[in-house]
């Protein structure tokens, strides 16, 4: 009763399609690099690459958390506000306590982000507010708190200790510290979604929430966890943001959620939940950052930068929808043919 | 299999459940012994699904109690049922399309290694073992998105097998399986029984029931009719106990003049769902489409109406070929379809009666691009009178109407488009008796006016009472066509269940 051939063909078709996404981004990335290398003279310089790495680092850190939320068929729009708020609080802490430990301030930022994410999770899982509305509301609320705390003022690089600013300026082995941190977060995130039982539940919940409930998965608790982690990583992102852009005011990281969600969606995380990889998200973030850097070097206007962001989301989601439908149809046909063949063999 | 005096694994006493005025279960009581296969049979709507939901903690009974190992027990939710060793395989497979087969089998209970991480090797090996035991031809790494209904059903069985169940409920597990797969399943069921597991087996195929079951419990209209050893029951006896009534319930069928063929379907097929379905409908005729849930009735209707694509087959309306590209195209050609799940597919609940009725004919009410509210209200009033919809005004919100009146609003919506052929899918599902008769009267009246009606219904009496002709489907194929004069409950059930008629 075994048909190893058929088994592997259906399997490889599906996994090929999933890998296709990452290969597709790599191709796009290659094309973008080639294009800018020819058009923009400074593009291939080490300094420019280090700049891209620094820009993309914070998007990746926050994107890893956002991915967990999107996997559960939810979305977190408030990450930009959490980054802004924790960036200001981190900077303000250093400004008032110049001797504060860098690790301690980072932990405080993460803890604050965690708390804000927890609020999002509770709104979605317990109060049953749709995620898009709940986090739209907290996007406004957290930003409002930020405005209130800053009181219209800002903190400048002069008020911050060198130890903290070095985080963004040092480049061990030629790679900025920020990028090392982002790589660490991405690797831990990738390992978690592969090997942590609770994070496999994220995929199940996003794939079929009702079935997840029937299977005895604590759906509410997992959704809260995803939002809390997203908040915590946004908190870490805020801390890093303050060291990268040390002049922090109430509009810091405004609209940052757009960059994060673009990276996640282009990276192939299905907006209807249930599928996506951390590698895809990292590649998605790199693609977006590379193209934006190229645009800046070529002095292409802000309009085109935003246009590209939006356009890329539309293209990515459209391709996703088409590929999913085609794949399902192809797999269904393949099975139907196999069954028909078997019926013939059995003579029914 | 067991000594009759032993403590039952599960006993129900006086279990009663009412859904919004409809009695789903009334004072049901029987016992299930360990290490037995207990078949649960009854027509659609007899209360089997409600019973399963109560036992698995999805819903709670209004009255009565459950005893597990002789002790009264409250099954709070599906997780609690799992802990008690009660596992159900649902009729509608609950799978995760984005995950692999192995992960589906162990969703929420991944095998773990040392540091509480997912043990992928163990996951695949365990899943393979269960799949081999079932004798299926897909592997643990197959993406579930590509599996058809039958394979998903097998996957459900694998899921149930992977948990250590004491009571395994199988709701129509064989509905979509090939004979080979059914054999494998039965071998597995027998193995489980030897291990002491009690299996509740729900099936419409009576030969399967007598083949596998030790005990048979029959439900009818939410009541417990009998629990007897399977060996003492013939197919005929089971059918008689299931049906119980005779056809003297009143069905106000008006005489309608039956005219020319207005609709013809030739060789309709959709891969894995239905195949080679051909039939004709005549003007003024009511044709019943019978068959058990999952036999492909609804799927055929959806494809005719252009909701799902057909793989092969042709359709003609009044002699002209028609390609069902979209519901919009179907409507334009005079087809209308009243879906089964009216609350989700047929109505916009928070909108008014008038807005719902006018939905399919808005262009006619909007000369020059603006809606004429007066015309909309007039249209709604016309149907409120014609179908006797109990609503205070066309402005009343649909949500606040009773089920039967909501059904009439859906009907009005499609009638407003002035169709030639009306497909009704379970038009009286879940409505009370009074409204039911009302809906039947309306259907009959419409046919008398020359409308052609294809009536899909799980309720035998309704099909028999209303139809001029009955088509019966089984496993995606049209298996019988029975004229009004020859139609009996036994004949239709026998055709739908695939048993020799002599037995019934």
């Amino acid at each position: 009763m075994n048909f190893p051939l058929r088994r592997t063909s259906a399997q490889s078709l599906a996994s090929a399609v999933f890998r296709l996404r990452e290969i597709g981004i790599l191709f796009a990335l290659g094309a973008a690099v080639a294009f800018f290398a020819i058009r923009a003279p400074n593009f291939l310089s080490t300094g420019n690459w280090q700049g891209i790495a620094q820009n993309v680092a914070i998007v990746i850190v926050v994107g890893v958390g956002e991915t967990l939320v999107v996997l559960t068929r939810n979305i977190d729009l408030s990450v930009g506000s959490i980054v802004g708020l924790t960036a200001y609080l981190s900077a303000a802490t250093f400004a008032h306590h110049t001797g504060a430990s860098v690790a301690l301030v980072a932990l405080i930022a993460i803890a604050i982000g965690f708390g804000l994410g927890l609020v999002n999770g509770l709104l979605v899982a317990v109060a049953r507010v749709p995620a898009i509305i709940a986090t739209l509301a907290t996007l406004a609320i957290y930003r409002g708190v930020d405005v209130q705390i800053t009181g219209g003022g800002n903190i400048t690089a002069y008020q911050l200790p060198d130890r903290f600013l070095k985080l963004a300026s040092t480049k061990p082995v030629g790679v900025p510290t920020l990028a090392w941190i982002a790589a660490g977060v991405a690797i831990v995130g990738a390992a978690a979604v592969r090997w942590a039982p609770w994070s496999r539940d994220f995929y199940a919940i996003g794939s079929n929430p009702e079935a997840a409930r029937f299977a005895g998965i604590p759906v509410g608790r997992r959704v809260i966890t995803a939002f809390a982690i997203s908040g915590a990583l946004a908190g870490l992102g805020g801390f890093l943001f303050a060291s990268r852009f040390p002049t922090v005011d109430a509009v810091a990281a405004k609209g940052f959620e757009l960059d994060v969600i673009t990276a996640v969606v282009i990276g192939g995380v299905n907006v209807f939940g249930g599928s996506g990889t951390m590698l895809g998200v990292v590649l998605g973030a790199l693609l977006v950052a590379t193209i934006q850097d190229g645009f800046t070097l070529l002095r292409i206007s802000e309009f085109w930068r935003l246009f590209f962001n939006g356009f890329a989301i539309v293209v990515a989601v459209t391709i996703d929808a088409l590929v999913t439908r085609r794949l399902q149809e192809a797999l269904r046909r393949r099975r139907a043919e196999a069954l028909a063949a078997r019926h013939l063999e059995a003579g029914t | 299999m067991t000594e009759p005096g032993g403590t039952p694994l599960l006993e129900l006493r006086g279990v009663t459940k009412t859904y919004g005025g409809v009695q789903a279960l009334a004072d049901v009581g029987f016992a299930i012994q360990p290490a037995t296969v207990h078949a649960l049979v009854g027509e659609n709507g007899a209360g089997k699904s409600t019973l399963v939901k109560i036992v698995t903690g999805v819903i709670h009974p209004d009255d009565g109690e459950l005893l597990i190992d002789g002790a009264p027990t409250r099954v709070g939710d599906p997780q609690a049922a799992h802990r008690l060793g009660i596992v159900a395989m649902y009729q509608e497979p609950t799978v995760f399309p984005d995950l692999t087969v192995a992960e589906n089998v162990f969703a929420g209970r991944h095998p773990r290694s040392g540091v509480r991480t997912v043990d992928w090797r163990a996951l695949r090996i365990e899943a393979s073992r269960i799949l081999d035991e079932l004798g299926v031809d897909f592997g643990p790494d197959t993406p579930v998105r590509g599996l058809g209904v039958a394979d998903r059903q097998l996957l459900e069985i694998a899921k149930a097998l992977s948990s250590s169940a004491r009571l395994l409920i199988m709701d129509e597990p064989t509905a979509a399986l090939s004979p080979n797969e059914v054999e494998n399943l039965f071998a597995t069921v027998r193995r489980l029984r030897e291990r002491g597991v009690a299996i509740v087996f729900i099936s419409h195929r009576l030969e399967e029931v007598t083949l596998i079951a030790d005990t048979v419990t029959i439900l009818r209209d939410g009541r417990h009719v009998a629990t007897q050893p399977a060996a003492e029951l013939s197919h005929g006896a089971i059918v008689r106990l299931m049906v119980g009534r005779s056809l003297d319930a009143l069905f106000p069928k008006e005489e309608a003049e039956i005219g020319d063929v207005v609709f013809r379907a030739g060789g309709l097929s959709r891969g894995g769902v239905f195949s080679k379905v051909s039939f004709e409908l005549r003007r003024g005729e009511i044709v019943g489409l019978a068959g058990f849930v999952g036999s492909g009735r609804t799927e055929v209707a959806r494809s005719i109406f252009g909701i799902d694509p057909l793989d092969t087959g042709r359709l003609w309306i009044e002699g002209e070929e028609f390609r069902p590209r979209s519901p919009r195209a179907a409507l334009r050609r005079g087809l209308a379809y009243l879906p089964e799940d009216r609350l989700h597919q047929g109505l916009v609940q928070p909108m008014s009666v008038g807005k719902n009725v006018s939905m399919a004919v808005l262009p006619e009410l909007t000369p020059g691009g603006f809606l004429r509210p007066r015309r909309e209200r007039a249209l709604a009033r016309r149907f409120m009178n014609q179908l006797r919809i109990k609503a205070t005004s066309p402005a009343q919100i649909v949500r606040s109407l009773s089920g039967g009146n909501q059904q009439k609003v859906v009907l009005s919506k499609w009638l407003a488009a002035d169709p030639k052929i009306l497909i009704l899918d379970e038009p009286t599902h879940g409505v009370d008796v009074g409204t039911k008769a009302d809906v039947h009267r309306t259907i009959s009246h419409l046919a008398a006016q020359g409308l052609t009606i294809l009536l899909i219904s799980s309720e035998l009496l309704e099909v028999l009472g209303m139809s001029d002709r009955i088509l019966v489907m089984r496993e995606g194929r049209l298996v019988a066509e029975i004229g009004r004069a020859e139609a009996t409950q036994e004949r239709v059930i026998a055709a739908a269940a695939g048993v020799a008629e002599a037995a019934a």
Side-chain angles (χ1 to χ4, degrees):
Chain A
M1 281 310 293
N2 277 341
F3 298 85
L5 210 146
R6 191 180 306 142
R7 189 180 288 186
T8 46
S9 68
Q11 188 187 321
S12 61
L13 176 64
S15 55
V17 168
F18 292 127
R19 224 161 286 147
L20 210 64
R21 183 43 167 277
E22 280 140 23
I23 292 168
I25 306 171
L26 275 176
F27 263 106
L29 198 54
V33 168
F35 176 80
F36 291 122
I38 295 164
R39 302 293 296 271
N42 294 333
F43 185 75
L44 287 180
S45 69
T46 316
N48 191 49
W49 277 112
Q50 287 169 339
I52 291 178
Q54 283 178 328
N55 287 341
V56 84
I58 301 172
V59 174
I60 288 174
V61 167
V62 182
V64 167
E66 182 76 54
T67 301
L68 299 183
V69 172
V70 177
L71 281 179
T72 65
R73 208 183 271 191
N74 284 296
I75 195 160
D76 186 350
L77 298 178
S78 72
V79 289
S81 296
I82 297 180
V83 168
L85 182 53
T86 51
Y88 186 81
L89 290 173
S90 302
T93 310
F94 280 119
H96 292 118
H97 312 277
T98 326
S101 140
V102 172
L104 181 68
V105 177
L107 280 179
I108 292 172
I110 291 171
I112 291 169
F114 181 86
L116 299 176
L118 199 62
V119 171
N120 288 335
L122 291 171
L123 283 174
V124 173
V126 180
R128 311 241 166 219
V129 183
I132 194 163
I133 300 303
T135 59
L136 185 66
T138 55
L139 175 150
I141 293 169
Y142 298 163
R143 182 62 68 182
V145 172
D146 195 11
V147 170
Q148 185 65 30
I149 292 176
T150 59
N154 62 16
I155 290 169
T156 61
Y158 304 112
Q159 297 168 265
L160 301 178
D162 270 352
R163 290 172 295 121
F164 178 56
L165 298 177
K166 263 194 195 146
L167 213 53
S169 57
T170 54
K171 301 172 180 77
V173 210
V175 177
T177 313
L178 286 184
W180 285 110
I181 294 173
V185 169
I187 289 169
V188 171
V193 296
R194 173 83 183 148
W195 284 297
W198 49 269
S199 70
R200 295 310 300 173
D201 290 351
F202 294 156
Y203 285 89
I205 292 166
S207 192
N208 187 345
E210 187 72 358
R213 206 172 63 83
F214 277 139
I217 293 171
V219 175
R221 229 164 56 207
R222 294 284 185 265
V223 169
I224 293 171
T225 306
F227 274 103
I229 294 176
S230 175
L233 286 175
L236 176 60
F239 171 81
L240 300 174
F241 194 92
S243 85
R244 167 97 173 109
F245 307 104
T247 302
V248 187
D249 58 16
V251 295
K254 206 163 189 179
F256 190 65
E257 62 279 348
L258 182 63
D259 291 347
V260 171
I261 292 169
T262 308
V264 168
V265 170
I266 291 179
V269 180
N270 190 330
V271 281
F272 300 112
S275 71
T277 64
M278 290 299 172
L279 177 62
V281 174
V282 170
L283 291 175
L286 271 174
L287 179 61
V288 175
T290 303
I291 292 178
Q292 305 211 331
D293 178 75
F295 279 15
T296 311
L297 289 180
L298 294 176
R299 297 174 196 279
I300 294 169
S301 74
E302 174 75 0
F303 164 75
W304 287 109
R305 195 185 72 79
L306 287 170
F307 177 88
F308 168 76
N309 247 4
F311 184 71
I313 290 179
V314 172
V315 169
V317 174
T318 310
I319 290 176
D320 265 356
L322 283 176
V323 166
T324 308
R325 208 174 323 145
R326 285 282 159 80
L327 176 66
Q328 185 150 9
E329 204 61 14
L331 289 170
R332 191 176 70 85
R333 258 167 225 286
R334 212 175 265 218
R335 279 299 289 171
E337 281 161 18
L339 287 176
R342 209 172 47 185
H343 275 288
L344 274 181
E345 278 166 37
T348 47
Chain B
M1 282 289 128
T2 42
E3 65 279 40
T7 310
L9 180 63
L10 172 73
E11 188 178 351
L12 293 98
R13 284 188 190 158
V15 171
T16 300
K17 179 76 192 175
T18 309
Y19 281 120
V22 180
Q23 186 123 52
L25 286 177
D27 193 23
V28 170
F30 64 95
I32 296 168
Q33 302 294 339
T36 57
V37 177
H38 196 118
L40 195 55
V41 298
E43 280 188 272
N44 290 320
K48 293 169 302 191
S49 295
T50 309
L51 197 64
V52 170
K53 283 187 190 155
I54 285 174
V55 173
T56 53
V58 176
I59 57 172
H60 301 125
D62 300 333
D63 205 2
E65 58 179 356
L66 270 62
L67 287 79
I68 292 174
D69 298 324
T73 309
R74 202 187 110 83
V75 186
D77 54 45
Q79 274 107 301
H82 264 270
R83 280 195 296 277
L84 290 164
I86 301 172
V87 177
M89 259 182 56
Y90 294 94
Q91 209 171 331
E92 312 256 310
T94 50
V95 298
F96 304 105
D98 297 299
L99 305 184
T100 63
V101 165
E103 269 207 88
N104 264 274
V105 171
F106 289 100
R109 320 171 268 115
H110 289 83
R112 298 176 187 193
S113 59
V115 267
R116 296 177 42 80
T117 54
V118 175
D119 186 343
W120 288 100
R121 229 175 80 83
L123 179 79
R124 296 192 58 238
I125 293 172
E126 265 302 288
S128 290
R129 194 183 56 71
I130 294 163
L131 296 175
D132 284 346
E133 191 174 336
L134 273 176
V136 300
D137 69 342
F138 50 85
D141 300 323
T142 311
V144 169
R145 190 173 291 288
L147 297 183
V149 184
D151 294 328
R152 289 183 182 203
Q153 201 77 52
L154 288 166
L155 176 57
E156 280 289 296
I157 297 167
K159 255 159 104 176
L161 290 180
S162 72
S163 63
S164 45
R166 297 180 62 208
L167 177 68
L168 178 59
I169 301 169
M170 302 181 143
D171 195 350
E172 301 256 5
T174 60
L177 301 189
S178 72
N180 226 336
E181 290 162 334
V182 171
E183 232 167 79
N184 284 327
L185 173 66
F186 281 5
T188 311
V189 166
R190 292 195 184 98
R191 256 198 313 277
L192 286 171
R193 178 174 64 188
E194 275 160 32
R195 282 186 221 158
V197 176
I199 294 112
V200 172
F201 184 82
I202 301 175
S203 177
H204 284 299
R205 299 182 186 173
L206 296 184
E207 47 329 4
E208 288 179 2
V209 169
T210 41
L211 193 65
I212 191 84
D214 305 306
T215 315
V216 181
T217 286
I218 296 147
L219 294 179
R220 187 205 311 146
D221 299 333
R223 286 171 194 283
H224 176 246
V225 178
T227 296
Q228 285 179 29
E232 295 171 13
L233 286 166
S234 68
H235 288 171
I238 295 176
V239 171
R240 268 193 299 282
L241 288 167
M242 272 168 67
V243 175
R245 311 157 283 200
S246 52
L247 192 52
D248 52 10
L250 280 180
F251 279 92
K253 173 125 180 72
E254 280 181 43
E255 277 309 311
E257 198 169 316
I258 295 178
D260 302 330
V261 172
V262 290
F263 178 90
R264 196 147 69 83
L268 307 185
S269 298
R270 178 165 157 74
V273 187
F274 54 83
S275 72
K276 293 176 197 143
V277 174
S278 304
F279 61 91
E280 289 179 350
L281 304 176
R282 290 164 178 279
R283 191 182 311 284
E285 191 179 34
I286 301 179
V287 176
L289 187 53
F292 293 119
V293 171
S295 60
R297 304 169 309 183
T298 296
E299 290 73 11
V300 169
R302 284 172 59 93
S303 286
I304 291 175
F305 195 55
I307 301 170
D308 303 322
L310 284 168
D311 288 343
T312 56
R314 298 170 75 182
L315 300 170
W316 292 266
I317 292 175
E318 294 181 319
E320 259 179 69
E321 179 148 17
F322 159 69
R323 297 196 144 273
R325 284 182 211 286
S326 66
R328 204 179 149 82
L331 270 174
R332 216 175 296 139
R333 288 295 298 273
L335 262 172
Y337 170 59
L338 191 146
E340 181 169 16
D341 187 358
R342 68 171 186 282
L343 302 181
H344 290 118
Q345 299 176 22
L347 281 177
V348 183
Q349 293 279 339
M351 287 187 1
S352 71
V353 173
K355 294 223 181 312
N356 269 287
V357 170
S358 67
M359 210 172 294
V361 291
L362 274 181
E364 288 164 38
L365 302 176
T366 50
F370 290 95
L371 178 70
R372 300 286 166 85
R374 196 174 300 167
R375 288 199 201 176
E376 187 177 69
R377 282 197 297 272
L379 179 80
R381 283 219 182 78
R382 177 153 68 85
F383 285 107
M384 282 168 64
N385 289 334
Q386 195 182 332
L387 304 186
R388 291 190 291 168
I389 300 172
K390 289 190 196 94
T392 49
S393 82
Q396 191 174 349
I397 300 303
V398 163
R399 202 202 306 275
S400 64
L401 299 179
S402 71
N405 281 304
Q406 289 190 5
Q407 192 71 323
K408 291 187 195 172
V409 174
V410 185
L411 203 54
S412 309
K413 171 175 142 185
W414 295 121
L415 290 175
D418 200 18
K420 301 183 188 94
I421 301 146
L422 182 61
I423 306 173
L424 301 170
D425 199 345
E426 303 282 7
T428 61
H429 195 203
V431 306
D432 60 81
V433 181
T435 318
K436 224 174 203 173
D438 229 18
V439 172
H440 289 151
R441 228 184 325 271
T442 310
I443 294 172
S444 184
H445 186 60
L446 292 169
Q449 290 173 340
L451 198 67
T452 303
I453 291 166
L454 183 64
L455 173 68
I456 301 174
S457 174
S458 295
E459 208 177 317
L460 264 182
L461 282 180
E462 181 167 286
V463 174
L464 290 165
M466 299 298 300
S467 312
D468 296 300
R469 198 150 52 88
I470 297 170
L471 306 172
V472 186
M473 285 192 72
R474 183 177 79 238
E475 291 161 33
R477 283 161 199 279
L478 207 55
V479 290
E481 178 171 345
I482 307 169
R484 183 174 177 84
E486 297 89 57
T488 62
Q489 305 190 46
E490 285 78 8
R491 278 191 79 160
V492 175
I493 285 202
V499 297
E501 214 180 298

